[in-house]
Amino acid sequence: MARGLPQIVDKFKGAVQKTDQEQKITDLQAEIERLRTLQSPELETEISHLREQLQIQTGEIAIEIDLIDPNPNQPRQTITQESIQAKARLFKKHGQITPVILVPQNNGRYILLDGQLRWEGAKLLGWKTIRALIVPQPEDLEQSSLLTFLGFEDLNPLDKAEAIFKEVIKSTGFELDEITTSLASVLKRIERNNQIKELTKLLVCTSEEQKQGLEVLGIIGEDQALFSAFLEFGLNPASIKSNLLPMLSLPEDLKKSIRKKGLKGAHALALATLSSKTLKISEQEAATERIKATEKVLAENLNVPETRNLIKGIKARYLTSEKSESKEVKVGIQKISSSLSEISLANASREQLQSLHEILTQKLNEIGQLIE
Amino acid sequence: MRQIVIALLANAGGVGKSTISTHIAYEISRRDYRVAMLDLDPQRSLDVFCGLPAADANLTTAEILSKDFKGDWSLIPVWDSKVEVCQGHPLLAEKANELVIRKRGEYSLADKLNKYPLPHNLIILDCPATLGMLNVNALAAATHILVPVQLEMKAISGSAELVEWCISTSDELQLDPRPPILGFVPSMYNETTAMHRQYLAQLPEIAERLGIKLYPKIRNSNEFKNASAYGLPLHKFRPSHPACKDFKSIVDDVIRLIKEK
């Protein structure tokens, strides 16, 4: 016989492993049942021991969906129907890959620490249970859930901003406008001194080093408490100021679009420039323009440069319409149409016609540029 | 007597699913049991094996999976026998996508078979060669799984994955009882191919480790192809062909299951 072919046993390794695991679980379950029927005295301890083993087998347990309560301090305010459907689709296709994280309550129910979207998705699919890891009650549920979520890319910037400022207000005792002022004035100074890099470097330092670093940068007293709070969350104060803070002052229509329709932060900030102030129209009219533009951005899935272009066009429309009729041009139009009649043109010399042609071509170009 | 629902599952194409479906269907019907075959393959492979012209979507399994199905089974008798077929349709692929977001989408077929029971002793689900929503439906509706194993590396890898998939999907669907794998069926076996001989020799040990029965091999024969070209099972096309006997062991087992209380 020719040389041996590759063995097929290896291909079945996963299947064998899974079969064995299933068998073990079935055996353990059978053992629990057996002990139950025996009503042996050591029943409870035996059962809890076996349950533990069962849990180790799978690493997590199935919890009834009905027993789960949402986290009242959930930083993620935005659950779009779309994102739930997307999650449900993923569940259908791949099953639940990561377990949700639950904190047991005294009443036998659980609070959701992590996995709101997974929980909603499972509910949509009509699942009875969801795979979960149970963790002990953290000291500060609000802060823990915030920390859990900060790493999540899909927490939208508005929710992120609100959650972060809520937490920072709570931990520092500052008002929002105090935070805004402090951020603005300190950062302005840091920028002027070209020290932004030094500030950014503090992100990866220990709390003690952060404190020293802030002092070196001349950030002391209440400002220091505030900057420390941001650094604690692994957040760069400079990016908070330019990216997250503006989220809080977005007009309501844009906030709603972020929450319900998945509008992105950068797009929202760009669209916010369609304000009554810049367009020189009423709040109402500005909102109408903004909503129209937002709908277009969402419907056509425009990227940021495309969005800015769209906005530029809208602004241009308002700025040009602002220029009312010019008398000189009006007279010019009349003059051209009367003095350049067909007959007068027919009687003009060739040189005259050529220079007229030149002038008109140049004017046409100028007009064209203004109209575009 | 109880109704048996067998899903013929494979994770690779052209490994003999429809050949096995049609031949056990025919042989069991000849032993006086009623058999229904449901073609869940968007490529409607059973049409060829049964010599049927393509059917309109509303007369196929695509209709069964639709929301409005009210128990109006479109079954066509084939081969002058007690076998009836519900044909497949390319729309099945689309239906499968719809099922993804429908409530109890994985259980659509199982729910229909429960609500509008068929009178047949055996239902065979002929499935596409992918592990998508249609196969999830087949798994949820089946009482037993039959896995053809073509003795070539690609097909074998697919079969191994399929075993894992059956376990984890049954788990996710919380099927109770879980449909057991009735057995591996080495298919399209060619004695003159070294690879087939070697891999067939390795299969018993693997099957034993997995606790899965290994059926005798189904040989590869051009007469199977010729028979299917006429839309007939080999038993009708060449009744005396030795390959007709290759299905006996499976057929005996299935009949035993049907007779069980």
Side-chain angles (χ1 to χ4, degrees), chain B residues 2-4 11 14 19 33 36 41 50 61 87 92 103 110 117 128 130 136 160 162 177 206-207 223 226 231 236:
Chain B
R2 64 166 175 150
Q3 187 179 58
I4 298 298
N11 192 15
T19 302
Y33 295 97
D41 191 345
C50 300
T61 49
Q87 295 175 253
L92 275 167
K103 273 191 185 152
T130 52
V136 172
L162 178 67
I206 293 168
E223 288 292 48
N226 297 337
K236 288 205 91 157

Side-chain angles (χ1 to χ4, degrees), chain A residues 4 9 13 19 41 58-59 161 166-167 176 210 228 230 233 245 269 280 286 289 291 328 334 337 347 352 356 358 371:
Chain A
V9 179
K13 264 189 192 149
T19 309
T58 53
K166 191 172 155 200
E167 188 54 37
L176 182 60
Q210 285 175 349
S228 291
F230 285 130
F233 283 122
L245 194 57
L269 289 182
K280 301 204 169 71
E289 276 298 342
I291 291 167
E328 290 90 337
Q334 278 169 355
S337 54
N347 294 330
Q352 262 184 323
L356 180 63
E358 217 166 277
I371 290 176

Side-chain angles (χ1 to χ4, degrees), chain A residues 134-146:
Chain A
I134 308 296
V135 299
Q137 167 89 41
E139 278 187 14
D140 182 339
L141 188 62
E142 204 166 306
Q143 191 163 357
S144 308
S145 32
L146 178 60

Side-chain angles (χ1 to χ4, degrees), chain A residues 6-276:
Chain A
Q7 300 272 310
I8 55 174
V9 179
D10 285 354
K11 295 279 170 201
F12 284 87
K13 264 189 192 149
V16 167
Q17 202 182 354
K18 219 157 207 169
T19 309
D20 288 352
Q21 199 182 358
E22 281 292 294
Q23 193 51 48
K24 254 182 226 157
I25 291 172
T26 320
D27 291 351
L28 286 169
Q29 276 165 342
E31 184 64 7
I32 291 177
E33 279 313 304
R34 194 183 63 80
L35 286 170
R36 271 250 161 83
T37 51
L38 276 180
Q39 288 290 331
S40 61
E42 66 274 29
L43 181 71
E44 280 314 311
T45 45
E46 272 296 321
I47 283 184
S48 68
H49 175 67
L50 288 171
R51 278 211 190 289
E52 224 166 82
Q53 273 188 286
L54 243 183
Q55 205 162 328
I56 294 163
Q57 273 293 322
T58 53
E60 63 246 350
I61 53 174
I63 294 289
E64 276 179 47
I65 296 232
D66 294 342
L67 285 180
I68 299 172
D69 295 321
N71 178 357
N73 298 312
Q74 158 74 283
R76 185 206 290 275
Q77 296 268 323
T78 311
I79 304 276
T80 60
Q81 203 52 35
E82 222 170 66
S83 61
I84 296 173
Q85 290 234 350
K87 183 57 87 180
R89 269 178 194 280
L90 282 178
F91 274 6
K92 286 270 186 175
K93 212 168 163 199
H94 304 290
Q96 184 190 350
I97 291 165
T98 42
V100 299
I101 300 178
L102 301 176
V103 178
Q105 302 178 77
N106 293 330
N107 58 7
R109 299 177 61 80
Y110 300 86
I111 278 198
L112 195 61
L113 179 60
D114 173 39
Q116 174 106 16
L117 203 50
R118 274 161 282 167
W119 180 53
E120 299 274 5
K123 279 200 288 187
L124 180 76
L125 293 174
W127 286 6
K128 293 269 181 312
T129 62
I130 191 164
R131 271 177 33 228
L133 278 173
I134 308 296
V135 299
Q137 167 89 41
E139 278 187 14
D140 182 339
L141 188 62
E142 204 166 306
Q143 191 163 357
S144 308
S145 32
L146 178 60
L147 283 171
T148 319
F149 274 97
L150 282 183
F152 276 62
E153 281 296 314
D154 62 347
L155 187 63
N156 72 52
L158 176 59
D159 286 350
K160 199 166 166 178
E162 286 190 348
I164 287 165
F165 282 100
K166 191 172 155 200
E167 188 54 37
V168 169
I169 287 168
K170 203 179 106 190
S171 64
T172 60
F174 294 135
E175 297 291 331
L176 182 60
D177 55 347
E178 290 173 320
I179 296 176
T180 318
T181 320
S182 164
L183 264 181
S185 63
V186 173
L187 285 171
K188 200 168 174 190
R189 178 166 57 77
I190 302 273
E191 262 165 43
R192 205 171 48 225
N193 298 345
N194 245 336
Q195 289 172 317
I196 286 289
K197 266 194 191 149
E198 277 73 15
L199 180 62
T200 311
K201 274 186 202 151
L202 294 180
L203 277 172
V204 292
C205 296
T206 63
S207 304
E208 195 46 43
E209 288 166 340
Q210 285 175 349
K211 190 164 175 256
Q212 286 167 6
L214 289 174
E215 257 156 41
V216 170
L217 290 172
I219 305 174
I220 47 169
E222 294 195 327
D223 290 338
Q224 192 185 87
L226 178 69
F227 276 65
S228 291
F230 285 130
L231 290 173
E232 197 118 311
F233 283 122
L235 297 165
N236 183 354
S239 99
I240 295 262
K241 178 180 166 261
S242 51
N243 299 326
L244 290 184
L245 194 57
M247 290 294 151
L248 299 181
S249 47
L250 284 177
E252 278 311 311
D253 53 282
L254 289 175
K255 283 188 180 175
K256 209 168 131 191
S257 295
I258 291 180
R259 295 220 156 104
K260 304 274 184 228
K261 295 178 185 157
L263 181 70
K264 298 273 190 313
H267 295 79
L269 289 182
L271 286 162
T273 62
L274 293 176
S275 63
S276 71

